[in-house]
Amino acid sequence: LEVLEPGCGAGRHTFAVAKHFPNSTFTAFDIDAEQIEKNKIKCKELGLKNVTFLVADFCAMPQEWNGRFDYLMIYDCMHDLPHPAQAMAGLKRVLNKDDALVTMMDINTTSDRPTQTKDSISAVLYNISLHHCMSVSLANGGV
């Protein structure tokens, strides 16, 4: 399988899955060039030959990726994107149209204050999202 992880950050998911599926090819990208360089070093240390880390943007994926990927795994990044609809259109474009699988997980939180008082982790995640993620997205022209 050809696997794509956009917004890979520190690559935790890519490393974990790539170890278990050595016959699959993994492409993982993030806009953070410094983190991508760290991921490349760790990839060599782990001896993974089936992973490529790239600096790229959800909204400007290469045309040569059209229809390439069989599996798309997105973890904890969609809420950070300044233009999520444009990003989703790009992700749809790079999926293998015949037989593709997508998994997407994002933070599990709520803006409901009574629920937050019962789950302190939810409150922390909501506040990080509100005060960091949303601010960064809006500063980058987000909608």
Side-chain angles (χ1 to χ4, degrees), residues 3-142:
V3 181
L4 177 65
E5 184 182 9
C8 67
R12 289 189 326 261
H13 299 103
T14 303
F15 292 130
V17 178
K19 285 181 202 177
H20 292 288
F21 297 95
N23 294 327
S24 292
T25 303
F26 293 80
T27 302
F29 73 79
D30 202 278
I31 60 171
D32 185 343
E34 184 179 333
Q35 184 61 59
I36 290 298
E37 288 307 312
K38 290 177 183 177
N39 292 353
K40 289 178 181 179
I41 292 166
K42 184 172 182 179
C43 196
K44 285 182 183 178
E45 290 170 356
L46 294 172
L48 294 172
K49 307 239 185 273
N50 59 336
V51 180
T52 302
F53 284 102
L54 303 166
V55 176
D57 186 320
F58 272 86
C59 297
M61 289 181 281
Q63 292 297 315
E64 59 266 19
W65 288 4
N66 287 359
R68 173 178 163 186
F69 297 100
D70 305 301
Y71 178 41
L72 175 61
M73 51 186 201
I74 310 168
Y75 298 104
D76 191 25
C77 61
M78 289 304 290
H79 70 279
D80 293 325
L81 301 178
H83 304 286
Q86 185 181 354
M88 290 301 286
L91 293 171
K92 182 178 179 184
R93 175 178 57 81
V94 302
L95 281 174
N96 173 342
K97 303 298 186 251
D98 296 326
D99 194 20
L101 175 66
V102 177
T103 57
M104 179 167 44
M105 293 174 42
D106 219 313
I107 61 173
N108 182 19
T109 188
T110 179
S111 60
D112 179 60
R113 291 189 63 162
T115 300
Q116 283 185 5
T117 60
K118 297 173 190 165
D119 183 359
S120 59
I121 297 299
S122 177
V124 169
L125 291 174
Y126 179 75
N127 277 288
I128 290 170
S129 183
L130 180 64
H131 296 288
H132 173 74
C133 303
M134 187 174 73
S135 301
V136 170
S137 177
L138 291 173
N140 286 287

